[in-house]
Amino acid sequence: MQQGQSQKPAYAPPPLADLLTEGRVALFLDFDGTLVELASGPDAIAPLPDLGARLKAFAERLGGACALVSGRAISDIESHLGPLAIAAAGSHGSDIRSATRERIGAGPQGLPTAIETELRSFAELEALDYEHNPHGGALHYRKAPEQGPKAHAFAEALAAEHGWAAQSGKCVVELVAPDANKGSAVDRFMADPPFAGARPIFVGDDITDEAGFAACRAAGGAGILVGEKRESAAQYHLPDVASVHHWLEL
């Protein structure tokens, strides 16, 4: 199979301990649907009470080469886990921080008022949940899945009109800056210590994680798809959040 091609990943990844005996590994971890179960809304999640401390200990095991890479803002993640002591890329990779909380790059680009006004009006009209983020705005339709096609069509047309990008997720469509994606965050982390020179592995469940899978694969690493199997750039598969916790030995 050529680099970048998709298939349905059929196999569980090798045990992490085995991978570590082969050389340095860098782990990039999605948040929702990977480390925490999906919920009815962004604020309804229930992470393990000590997940932040477990991730810190895990990152130390990898010599610091572990980062959260999420569509959520870093401040949103910290509202659930407390202050992060590991590297993180929030807002779909547009807000990158080191483990010491030093910002890497320019930071997220806020959504122009004209776009946000239209998104909010559409959400109100169609009874959808609107979420404001530092990097964009999202229409959530988990409570009304039949509205999904309409929400996507509206968001894609709005993005094209204003030169932004529409990103699809599980029961959500989000407008973000064109260069905001998880693959670019992986590439930025891999350029510097403690990630540089390690084999990168991305663990995620959603369509937005495909850019992370592809970036890791291009750098000689791998992707691990979590949840329902589908065509993916990931080579490996884990069935659920509990299996991710077990594989990471959290």
Side-chain angles (χ1 to χ4, degrees):
M1 176 178 299
Q2 294 181 347
Q3 185 172 289
Q5 286 187 324
S6 296
Q7 64 175 359
K8 285 188 178 180
Y11 304 104
L16 181 58
D18 291 354
L19 293 176
L20 291 174
T21 63
E22 298 172 2
R24 294 178 53 235
V25 172
L27 260 292
F28 300 97
L29 307 173
D30 176 43
F31 188 64
D32 293 274
T34 298
L35 290 175
V36 299
E37 299 286 356
L38 295 173
S40 58
D43 295 327
I45 59 170
L48 295 175
D50 59 348
L51 181 57
R54 295 191 193 199
L55 290 172
K56 179 178 183 292
F58 178 75
E60 290 172 350
R61 181 184 176 192
L62 298 183
C66 175
L68 286 179
V69 183
S70 175
R72 288 181 186 255
I74 293 175
S75 59
D76 188 331
I77 296 173
E78 291 185 321
S79 73
H80 296 280
L81 301 189
L84 291 173
I86 68 171
S91 301
H92 290 289
S94 61
D95 185 12
I96 304 176
R97 311 284 180 89
S98 70
T100 57
R101 306 180 69 81
E102 179 181 356
R103 172 167 280 172
I104 302 171
Q109 179 182 346
L111 195 67
T113 301
I115 301 179
E116 182 158 31
T117 298
E118 291 198 52
L119 284 173
R120 287 186 181 276
S121 296
F122 180 84
E124 183 176 356
L125 181 65
E126 302 297 337
L128 303 177
D129 291 328
Y130 176 76
E131 180 186 9
H132 169 82
N133 291 310
H135 59 278
L139 297 171
H140 291 269
Y141 52 89
R142 187 172 297 277
K143 297 176 184 177
E146 70 282 358
Q147 293 283 63
K150 193 172 184 179
H152 281 269
F154 177 81
E156 288 164 8
L158 188 62
E161 178 185 352
H162 292 274
W164 277 57
Q167 288 204 106
S168 300
K170 292 182 177 177
C171 294
V172 62
V173 59
E174 187 167 11
L175 263 68
V176 299
D179 58 350
N181 67 77
K182 296 182 180 182
S184 63
V186 168
D187 291 340
R188 185 65 186 82
F189 277 126
M190 291 299 295
D192 298 306
F195 297 90
R199 182 187 182 195
I201 297 176
F202 196 106
V203 189
D205 72 306
D206 211 340
I207 298 297
T208 57
D209 297 313
E210 289 296 328
F213 298 151
C216 286
R217 192 165 181 172
I224 301 174
L225 176 65
V226 181
E228 185 177 351
K229 291 182 180 180
R230 55 173 166 76
E231 292 293 316
S232 174
Q235 295 97 316
Y236 301 113
H237 174 256
L238 289 170
D240 50 32
V241 170
S243 65
V244 174
H245 290 177
H246 178 75
W247 186 77
L248 295 173
E249 303 173 16
L250 289 179

